[in-house]
Amino acid sequence: FSWRNAFFIASLPGLLLAFLCARTLREPAMPPRAQAGDAPAPGVRQLLANRNMVQSTVIACAMVSWLILQLIFLPIYLTKVRGMAAQDMGMLLSLAAISSVIAAVFVSKLSDVIGRRTTLIVFSLLGMVGPLGVVYLDASVGTLVVPLFIGYLACGCLPQAAATVPSESVPPHMLATAVAFAVGTAEIVGGFVAPLLAGAAGDGISASAPLLIAAGAAFLSACTAFFLHESAPRKLARMQRKQSLAA
């Protein structure tokens, strides 16, 4: 129905979300105005002094890069380089999208149980499976459907890194600033810088370079997650109970 109409259709979820926010969200009661000096205005320097804040921002940058590079370059690579039919490519990306929807709920729920750190490590590593499979396996729906489905489960890392870990790692008066900093930095790095550099690498080095960079970004996310301090309340409570019993 033409690309123009496709963009109109793509805007519908945003309009739906705006409607639901207007109907369902309620502003909480404002706390009493703080006295001067009670809580200093949050700043970037305060955020960067928080180890988890730095690590989660790096992870968010890496995982947004991982996602955006695939969204941009996977269709081109599969059709122009690997010779896949556009219909087959669309089917693969649709199945990958289903995986990302599952991950949004499943990975977040799992992180409540096993912890943010372990979840980010495991699912960031799984994120490498998709782009590496597209580069090195046969370009067929039957061959790539499993790697892409598994790989896109890493989408569950995005809300953990950009919102959950920052919000659990800073004082309440810094929460909004922390999440905005992580998301904003990730959008600039992953949405602007990474595609620019990956596109140049694809033109100058190899057509597969953007996807290999995406896999590298997922690996960077996993490595960075090793340095996180656990922040999941349920996991921390279990750790405290074990320490109490051991004592």
Side-chain angles (χ1 to χ4, degrees), residues 1-241:
F1 300 101
S2 86
W3 282 105
R4 181 183 298 273
N5 290 329
F7 278 107
F8 285 130
I9 294 172
S11 71
L12 294 179
L15 295 175
L16 175 61
L17 286 174
F19 172 77
L20 292 175
C21 287
R23 290 294 302 271
T24 62
L25 288 183
R26 297 291 179 267
E27 289 290 346
M30 295 296 293
R33 185 180 297 273
Q35 298 296 321
D38 284 355
V44 174
R45 181 175 297 182
Q46 286 178 276
L47 293 177
L48 295 181
N50 185 301
R51 174 175 168 177
N52 260 20
M53 191 67 227
V54 175
Q55 309 300 340
S56 60
T57 301
V58 172
I59 295 170
C61 289
M63 293 311 295
V64 171
S65 300
W66 165 86
L67 178 61
I68 297 298
L69 292 182
Q70 290 186 89
L71 292 177
I72 295 173
F73 295 103
L74 261 180
I76 299 172
Y77 187 81
L78 285 173
T79 55
K80 303 297 184 183
V81 179
R82 303 301 305 274
M84 179 176 285
Q87 184 176 0
D88 290 342
M89 177 274 295
M91 183 184 301
L92 278 175
L93 294 187
S94 296
L95 292 171
I98 293 173
S99 174
S100 68
V101 172
I102 295 172
V105 178
F106 169 71
V107 176
S108 297
K109 180 65 175 177
L110 183 64
S111 75
D112 288 337
V113 179
I114 68 174
R116 317 298 185 209
R117 181 174 177 271
T118 301
T119 300
L120 285 167
I121 292 171
V122 171
F123 284 91
S124 293
L125 291 175
L126 289 181
M128 300 176 65
V129 175
L132 292 179
V134 169
V135 173
Y136 294 112
L137 298 179
D138 292 336
S140 66
V141 174
T143 301
L144 294 179
V145 62
V146 173
L148 282 175
F149 188 89
I150 291 174
Y152 266 71
L153 290 174
C155 286
C157 295
L158 289 165
Q160 303 297 312
T164 306
V165 174
S167 66
E168 292 173 340
S169 303
V170 300
H173 72 278
M174 298 179 66
L175 193 151
T177 303
V179 174
F181 179 82
V183 173
T185 305
E187 292 289 350
I188 293 171
V189 174
F192 172 69
V193 177
L196 190 67
L197 297 178
D203 290 337
I205 301 175
S206 169
S208 62
L211 297 180
L212 296 178
I213 293 172
F219 183 70
L220 172 62
S221 174
C223 291
T224 306
F226 272 102
F227 299 97
L228 279 176
H229 290 303
E230 185 56 63
S231 63
R234 290 175 61 180
K235 181 68 178 290
L236 289 175
R238 287 201 306 272
M239 293 169 63
Q240 291 175 353
R241 285 197 298 269

